[in-house]
Amino acid sequence: MGYDHGTQNNEEAIHIAETKPVQLRYPQLSSLPSFMLAWVENNCHDIITVLDEEGRVIFSSKSTEHLLGFHPSELAGKFWHEMISADDASYIKDNFEQRFSQNQLYTMNILNSDGKYIWSECSVVKLQDPQKDEIFYLSTIADIRDKKEAEEMMIRSEKMSVASSRCKQKRRIL
């Protein structure tokens, strides 16, 4: 049995119904060997951050360099709101639900090392360490510049289409 790579040989195709259930060898990310965790960190495109209860960065993944141009150590000790636009910081402060374990999603402009803001999407959660009774905020931050550019192009295209149809209607009237 093998994968069907565009051939019409149905005997070689694997179907999900034919596969045997596999028990997870590593049921949690933390149970992965360190060399695998290193690969994940080096190849993850989203930034992962951990903030303390006051909102200071206590961990930032290596993808911070790729996405923002900052070494993770440059963000250590900074408050989260120092890195995003004032309007976005105000919105998040006003709308953040303080309940534990509730993922929240925000679109925001985050500052890069060139002093420019880039569009990003942030998923954040408030968690409590039950052993130490400490509160942390964990987040992933994704670059959504391409998505925003595509949205803006669609809006411009729609506006041009509307303007074109109005011109055609005016010509018919005249």
Side-chain angles (χ1 to χ4, degrees), residues 97-116:
E97 296 284 333
Q98 287 294 329
R99 287 181 261 160
F100 288 102
S101 303
Q102 179 180 336
N103 277 341
Q104 298 174 60
L105 191 64
Y106 298 98
T107 300
M108 61 186 193
N109 287 289
I110 190 166
L111 193 64
N112 69 12
S113 63
D114 294 331
K116 296 179 181 173

Side-chain angles (χ1 to χ4, degrees), residues 73-154:
S73 64
E74 293 178 82
L75 299 183
K78 288 195 177 208
F79 287 96
W80 66 272
H81 53 82
E82 295 175 36
M83 297 299 300
I84 65 173
S85 73
D87 289 342
D88 293 337
S90 177
Y91 177 82
I92 293 170
K93 286 178 185 178
D94 291 344
N95 293 285
F96 188 78
E97 296 284 333
Q98 287 294 329
R99 287 181 261 160
F100 288 102
S101 303
Q102 179 180 336
N103 277 341
Q104 298 174 60
L105 191 64
Y106 298 98
T107 300
M108 61 186 193
N109 287 289
I110 190 166
L111 193 64
N112 69 12
S113 63
D114 294 331
K116 296 179 181 173
Y117 286 102
I118 62 169
W119 280 106
S120 62
E121 189 171 77
C122 176
S123 176
V124 63
V125 66
K126 179 180 180 179
L127 298 174
Q128 186 169 15
D129 180 347
Q131 296 171 344
K132 297 181 181 180
D133 203 34
E134 290 180 296
I135 294 173
F136 298 97
Y137 298 90
L138 280 69
S139 71
T140 59
I141 302 168
D143 181 353
I144 60 166
R145 287 178 283 190
D146 292 341
K147 179 181 173 184
K148 283 293 188 180
E149 287 176 20
E151 287 175 2
E152 289 173 9
M153 287 176 57
M154 290 296 293

